[in-house]
Amino acid sequence: MTRYNQKTTEQKWQRAWAENRTFEVAEDPSKPKYYVLEMFPYPSGRIHMGHVRNYTLGDMVARYKRAKGFNVLHPMGWDAFGLPAENAAIENDTHPAKWTRENIATMREQLKTMGLSYDWSREISTCEPEYYKHEQRMFLEFLENDLVYRKESWVNWDPVDNTVLANEQVIDGKGWRTGAPVEKRKLAQWFLKITHFAEELKDDLAELERWPDKVRIMQENWIGRSEGAYVRFPVLGQGSGKDGEQLEVYTTRPDTLYGASFCALAANHPMTQALAAANPALAAFVAECNRMGTSEAELERAEKKGFDTGLRVGHPFLNDLELPVYVANFVLMEYGTGAIFGCPAHDQRDLDFARKYDLRVVPVVCPPDTDLAAFEIGTEAYVGDGKLVNSGFLDGLDVATGITTVIDKLVDMGQGERAINYRLRDWGVSRQRYWGCPIPVIHCTDCGVQPVPIADLPVALPEDVDLSVAGNPLDAHPTWKHTTCPHCGKPAERETDTFDTFFESSWYFARFASPHVEDIGFTREAAGYWLPVDQYIGGIEHAVLHLLYSRFFTRALKVCGYLDIKEPFAGLLTQGMVCHATYRDDAGKWMFPNDVAETDDGKLVHKSTGAPVTKGRSEKMSKSKRNVVDPEEIIATYGADTARLFMLSDSPPDRDLDWTEAGIEGAWRYVNRLWRLADTAVSEPEPADAADAEPLRAALHKTVAGVTGDLDKFHFNKAVARVRELTNSLEQDLVNLSDAERREILAALVCLVSPMMPHLSEEMWHHLGFDGLVADQPWPEADAKYLVEETVTVAVQVNGKLRGTIDLTKDCPQDEAESQALQVENVVAAMAGKAPKKVIVVPNRIVNVVV
């Protein structure tokens, strides 16, 4: 028997695909298109097991759709800008461009060893001027179409990376990359008007039927549409207040106004700033607030603190009630008006605050079927539904009716108005760093902000940059920022901020449609053919950030005449993480799995020292916990097909996968079982009296039908299980068939497993004597005559309770079904000697005996 040599085999077929340009595609209106895209990687220098899983899933889809007759676009590129490259360049005394390009070269070769069906002729890198010059033009067209503006605003400042972060990049009050506590600073920033599409972005989620529900829910919550009212509280002439001044708040619960006990301002509210200018104690409190995290989760966890400003405001309906005005650390300037009224009885945050500062707590919503006299608010606010109480003209109304009624009243009084608000904020895209796309505007002291002329794009980064300077290296460059105003010709300065890197990833999928066009980002014709992406694949961690920005960008490009679509990704698959057991030595330090050995008596020890090792739970692979496995090592040892098979077979793609040594060994054994099938078919002589091939044909065609259905639903692990089951039958009986029948059945099997294990499939195909590439073969079709089930399993019930099952000939006569059902042992026992009153037969499904 010939030995399967995965190393030489995989290299051979990778060369063949490249030489034949097998996966290069062009628009072809005569064929249905299918665009498969995995979220492109950041070029860190090495692929990890998360990459292996992500790209295996995408390749499975791409190869399957190609075999099904689709014109498949499956590209790859690099999300190449960003602070990690800048920081690595500083640490390694090199240039970010050099570091990035070397990493891309390394990772490209690593990915090619996986046998992925990419059209490498379309490869892009976002850090190259030929890419980012197009997004500079897009930005200028957004500016022209009133989708961009610049303003001074409070921003999230990462003190480690020394740059601004979008709200979405602040996780639990910390920078999403550095983990450093985020501060508040006031800076002039460029913003994209994502809120212009807020309603549309929310409503159109319903049309994304092939997106996971959890992602759509996350986006809907992030957009955060709420219906409520603006309420104006008159500021009374006390403290530093001015008669006639009003404090405007936004609320979704105006029905609880009678329960108000205070108003609170954000630390950066204009009224707060005015008061703090004359009050050092308040200024110190504001500074403390600005050092807090900015996420809602962080604010919820933090101790609720306030500063009594001395201001008092009047109540809209209660003339004798004055409400104190605090500055509070839990009020965000970015939501509503940056001011709230607090109703402690029905909001836990407000209740905690009121108890701390001894403020009144008046319940105004009474739970159903509860006596108001016995209803009290203790340590927990009541947030449920009920009838309004202690609320004057609102008493007795339900909450929904109360909201409408009170808004109408406020409008009539001139003290409020109906409003819709969004949690979503406009996207601040300015970043104070070098390694990013320069923002293409010029600042002139006479003419103000001027767009860089289209003919002068790209505004390229200078190569001679000093990354050791504090702050933004572009701002410190001696010459780069100095230019002339395109309007008046006088000396002027370039914008030294660069784009948030999510700017690049918000349109790259469109660039793949025509990546070599020079005068525009992509042609309308190519985009019209390929877009939207039919299947997008990536991590759930991008559910809000990247996906929401890409949806906005697509709409903005539509406004500017680039596209005819609104949604970039028709289908979305969020794959689970790759996990591995964790290990610690006797000192509690994390250990790499490769350093752990198992003794004969089942104990875990350090390979080198023999010291005991403790095994922990399986967790996401991470360098910090050292529970990582090197893909290069796995591929070198077992081959790419083995790694691919394990990634597909161990769990559904949207769930976490536990990487185990036993699992990869099992996948390797199965790869060799398949090879032996092909080799046996070639080497074994044809039997004198060949067996009947029909049972194996039936098993094959049922497997084809099942696998096809599984792949259409992305049930990859089920598809692998079906193929393994078929393999068991073939190992037993294939050798007994004629040579022609062996080749017929194995040809279909090879095509069936080719998306999973493409190198092995090509080698088996060639070994069996077939011409061409499996990659070019059509998907096998299941013959309907083999799919007809001759028998069915029918449930048997007694008085509606399951008592057993029987196997019947499909569509058998009713009396036969009754007869067999009444002979089931448990049925006889349940009847206890009684004669059946009637027997109900649902053909091919159920027999119910009524006694």
Side-chain angles (χ1 to χ4, degrees), residues 45-189:
R46 300 191 68 80
I47 63 171
H48 52 68
M49 280 301 178
H51 290 132
V52 174
R53 190 179 195 197
N54 191 19
Y55 304 139
T56 296
L57 295 175
D59 199 56
M60 178 80 168
V61 176
R63 287 178 177 271
Y64 169 65
K65 290 296 183 179
R66 194 170 183 275
K68 291 284 284 184
F70 288 88
N71 190 28
V72 174
L73 173 59
H74 189 208
M76 171 52 71
W78 310 96
D79 192 8
F81 270 139
L83 270 170
E86 194 164 326
N87 293 338
I90 294 170
E91 292 172 12
N92 297 292
D93 193 25
T94 186
H95 195 282
K98 182 176 184 293
W99 186 87
T100 299
R101 288 168 185 148
E102 287 177 352
N103 284 353
I104 287 173
T106 299
M107 292 180 70
R108 182 190 301 116
E109 293 311 307
Q110 290 175 326
L111 290 179
K112 285 186 175 181
T113 65
M114 288 179 60
L116 303 166
S117 59
Y118 290 134
D119 180 352
W120 284 104
S121 71
R122 293 174 182 258
E123 182 182 8
I124 60 175
S125 176
T126 63
C127 69
E128 302 299 341
E130 55 264 30
Y131 179 87
Y132 67 72
K133 72 176 182 181
H134 300 299
E135 70 184 47
Q136 290 177 337
R137 177 171 178 168
M138 292 171 188
F139 175 84
L140 295 178
E141 293 183 0
F142 291 173
L143 187 61
E144 199 175 301
N145 283 274
D146 196 29
L147 293 172
V148 174
Y149 63 93
R150 188 173 188 260
K151 73 170 183 178
E152 195 173 64
S153 68
W154 290 93
V155 297
N156 306 305
W157 181 262
D158 189 313
V160 174
D161 277 341
N162 288 310
T163 190
V164 169
L165 301 179
N167 285 341
E168 294 89 341
Q169 294 167 314
V170 180
I171 310 299
D172 294 333
K174 296 173 181 168
W176 72 301
R177 286 195 185 277
T178 66
V182 168
E183 302 170 359
K184 286 285 191 181
R185 289 195 183 181
K186 200 167 190 179
L187 294 174
Q189 300 286 292

Side-chain angles (χ1 to χ4, degrees), residues 505-527:
S505 60
S506 293
W507 72 279
Y508 80 107
F509 49 86
R511 179 62 175 171
F512 280 132
S514 47
H516 306 300
V517 177
E518 295 184 3
D519 60 340
I520 195 167
F522 48 86
T523 69
R524 197 176 178 89
E525 294 75 22

Side-chain angles (χ1 to χ4, degrees), residues 240-434:
S240 300
K242 302 174 184 176
D243 282 327
E245 189 177 3
Q246 292 184 318
L247 174 62
E248 186 174 64
V249 308
Y250 173 76
T251 177
T252 59
R253 292 295 305 275
D255 58 301
T256 64
L257 267 168
Y258 276 90
S261 63
F262 67 94
C263 286
L265 308 173
N268 299 315
H269 191 282
M271 192 175 288
T272 304
Q273 296 295 300
L275 294 168
N279 187 332
L282 176 55
F285 181 75
V286 168
E288 179 186 337
C289 292
N290 285 335
R291 287 191 294 271
M292 283 183 61
T294 57
S295 74
E296 290 180 12
E298 183 82 1
L299 294 178
E300 286 299 318
R301 285 196 297 268
E303 180 187 356
K304 309 302 180 289
K305 293 182 180 180
F307 187 99
D308 190 344
T309 65
L311 281 182
R312 297 294 181 264
V313 294
H315 191 281
F317 305 130
L318 299 171
N319 293 331
D320 58 347
L321 179 63
E322 296 181 2
L323 304 178
V325 179
Y326 287 79
V327 175
N329 65 352
F330 57 84
V331 182
L332 288 173
M333 190 62 218
E334 292 79 11
Y335 183 74
T337 65
I340 66 160
F341 80 82
C343 177
H346 305 292
D347 183 287
Q348 190 62 44
R349 175 197 60 187
D350 295 348
L351 181 60
D352 294 342
F353 190 82
R355 297 299 189 204
K356 183 179 179 72
Y357 294 103
D358 197 25
L359 302 173
R360 78 178 197 131
V361 178
V362 178
V364 292
V365 180
C366 188
D369 304 320
T370 301
D371 182 4
L372 177 59
F375 178 50
E376 294 182 354
I377 299 295
T379 58
E380 291 188 14
Y382 176 68
V383 296
D385 207 351
K387 297 294 184 182
L388 298 182
V389 296
N390 298 323
S391 297
F393 68 95
L394 299 173
D395 281 352
L397 299 178
D398 60 69
V399 168
T401 306
I403 290 173
T404 301
T405 303
V406 77
I407 293 176
D408 290 341
K409 181 76 169 177
L410 288 166
V411 172
D412 289 343
M413 295 170 60
Q415 286 191 258
E417 58 192 54
R418 196 177 304 276
I420 293 173
N421 216 319
Y422 296 92
R423 180 177 177 270
L424 181 68
R425 300 276 74 98
D426 280 336
W427 176 14
V429 295
S430 300
R431 299 294 180 267
Q432 296 68 41
R433 59 158 182 253
Y434 166 70

